[in-house]
């Protein structure tokens, strides 16, 4: 079999919706390069009622995509190691149960439990007020909620593709639109790709402005990991040219910014802003490795597409969400007005599309971890990281 196979699971324009679907290598006569499965189902009951999930297992790496929640990647597994984190939001939450305006704009946190969640598209930083033109062309104050809206918008189109080859490629494509009258109009086309037997999933997002006027655009990838990668003595490894604390709280531990503690119930989060170096092609990466350097999770991206980076530490108690975030982004996750002032809010022209490439892979043993560390060292080429002891004005509002 050499022809690409495809199945449309959701297409609102054509009123197509498939609630349950199971595809597999054996049933399709494609198991020459290993067993794989793709399963689509709808959850029932509780806050998860009505949430669609697509579970992909390539024989080595498995992961769950959630079309109902902006095509986020919920959790996964590779070589018996769990990928993701244990959020206090235990289950997937249908966006219909979320009011992002709750608790001063922090309602987004009610559904926050994904391994990879997109933050955007009109805004993606801290909650707060911003000034925009209303439908009459007059300046109007509006409340921007934490991390924007895209993670709580269901996909309008979902397709599964199986592309025969050596090895076979498994692809999930989704289309999510963030738009309403008198407001910006975005279309995001997400493509997840993995090859049978691999330890990697690749993501390509294409965000388009389908309005007739220019519109602002922000995007951040909140990539979150707990145990077994995160533990006391774990470290983040990346080609950091410069790092600075986000605020006075992060400043307290700036000398140990790249290492992690064990459980600390009541821990108050810390954030660090970084300038990450890249190779000659603009490619860069970040790895969270365990204490023994025998296991790591790696995020790869193109710095020309995502020039900013935030490291989020939340090493609290086990039931409170013991987690760290590696967050490549277009802008720093500050209030949008501050990011606009610093020139980190992009403008998409009518019809313009912005492409972003991101990947997650698992370094499953000491040799693989060492290979990633060698990549980081090659990018740094002997340079040392500049560590700022206090927040800096170019990145943090509290430094102004």
């Amino acid at each position: 079999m050499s022809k690409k196979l495809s199945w449309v699971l959701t297409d609102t324009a054509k009123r197509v919706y498939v609630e349950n679907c199971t595809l597999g290598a054996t049933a399709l006569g494609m198991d020459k390069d290993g067993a794989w499965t793709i399963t689509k189902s709808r959850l029932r009951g509780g806050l998860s009622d009505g949430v669609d999930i697509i579970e992909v297992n390539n024989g080595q790496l498995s992961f769950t995509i959630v079309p109902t929640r902006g095509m986020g990647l919920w959790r996964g597994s590779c070589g018996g190691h769990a990928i993701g984190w244990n959020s206090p939001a235990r289950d997937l939450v249908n966006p219909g149960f979320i009011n992002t305006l709750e608790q001063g704009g922090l309602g987004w946190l009610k559904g926050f439990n994904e391994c990879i969640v997109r933050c955007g598209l009109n805004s993606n930083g801290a909650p707060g007020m911003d000034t925009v033109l209303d439908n009459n062309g007059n300046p109007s104050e509006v409340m921007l909620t934490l991390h924007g809206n895209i993670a709580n918008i269901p996909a309008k189109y979902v397709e599964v593709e199986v592309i025969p080859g050596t090895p076979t490629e498994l692809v999930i494509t989704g289309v999510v639109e963030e738009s309403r009258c008198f407001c910006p109009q975005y279309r995001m086309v997400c493509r997840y790709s993995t090859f049978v037997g691999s330890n990697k999933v690749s993501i390509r997002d294409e965000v388009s402005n389908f309005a007739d006027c220019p519109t602002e655009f922000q995007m951040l990838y909140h990539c979150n990991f707990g145990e077994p990668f995160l533990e006391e003595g774990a470290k983040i490894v990346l080609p950091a040219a410069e790092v600075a604390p986000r605020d006075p709280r992060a400043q307290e531990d700036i000398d140990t910014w790249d290492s992690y503690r064990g459980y600390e119930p009541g821990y108050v989060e810390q954030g660090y802003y970084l300038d990450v170096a890249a190779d000659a092609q603009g490619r860069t990466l970040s790895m969270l490795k365990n204490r023994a350097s025998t296991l790591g999770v790696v995020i790869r991206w193109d710095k020309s597409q995502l020039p900013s980076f935030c490291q989020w530490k939340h090493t609290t108690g086990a039931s409170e969400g013991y987690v760290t975030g590696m967050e490549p982004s277009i802008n720093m996750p500050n209030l949008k007005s501050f990011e606009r002032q610093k020139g980190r809010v992009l403008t998409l022209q009518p019809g313009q599309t912005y492409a972003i490439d991101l990947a997650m892979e698992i370094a499953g043993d000491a040799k693989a971890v060492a290979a990633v560390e060698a990549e980081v060292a090659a990018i740094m080429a002997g340079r040392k990281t500049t560590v700022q002891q206090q927040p800096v004005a170019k990145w943090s509002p509290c430094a102004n």
Side-chain angles (χ1 to χ4, degrees), residues 157-178:
Y157 181 89
V158 180
E159 180 180 4
V160 174
E161 294 176 283
V162 176
I163 305 174
T166 309
T168 295
E169 184 181 12
L170 311 176
V171 177
I172 311 296
T173 300
V175 179
V176 186
E177 291 186 356
E178 179 181 340

Side-chain angles (χ1 to χ4, degrees), residues 56-126:
V56 180
N57 186 335
N58 73 13
Q60 170 69 11
L61 170 70
S62 65
F63 53 92
T64 300
I65 298 168
V66 192
T68 310
R69 292 187 51 80
M71 294 296 293
L73 192 157
W74 183 31
R75 58 176 58 162
S77 176
C78 187
H81 302 295
I83 304 169
W85 62 297
N86 294 318
S87 168
R90 304 294 182 194
D91 303 314
L92 288 169
V93 181
N94 190 311
F97 296 116
I98 293 175
N99 176 3
T100 57
L101 289 170
E102 283 184 0
Q103 201 176 346
L106 297 177
W108 182 91
L109 294 171
K110 184 175 182 178
F112 177 43
N113 61 14
E114 293 95 339
C115 174
I116 300 179
V117 57
R118 297 166 180 83
C119 303
L121 298 169
N122 182 252
S123 65
N124 66 10

Side-chain angles (χ1 to χ4, degrees), residues 1 21 26 75 77 79 83 125 137 148 178 188 195 199 218 222 246 320 330 333 335 355 390:
M1 184 181 295
C21 177
T26 302
R75 58 176 58 162
S77 176
I83 304 169
E178 179 181 340
M188 181 176 68
F195 289 92
N199 63 339
Q218 294 186 286
H222 218 303
R246 179 183 65 184
E320 298 171 323
I330 290 174
L335 190 60
Q390 299 178 340

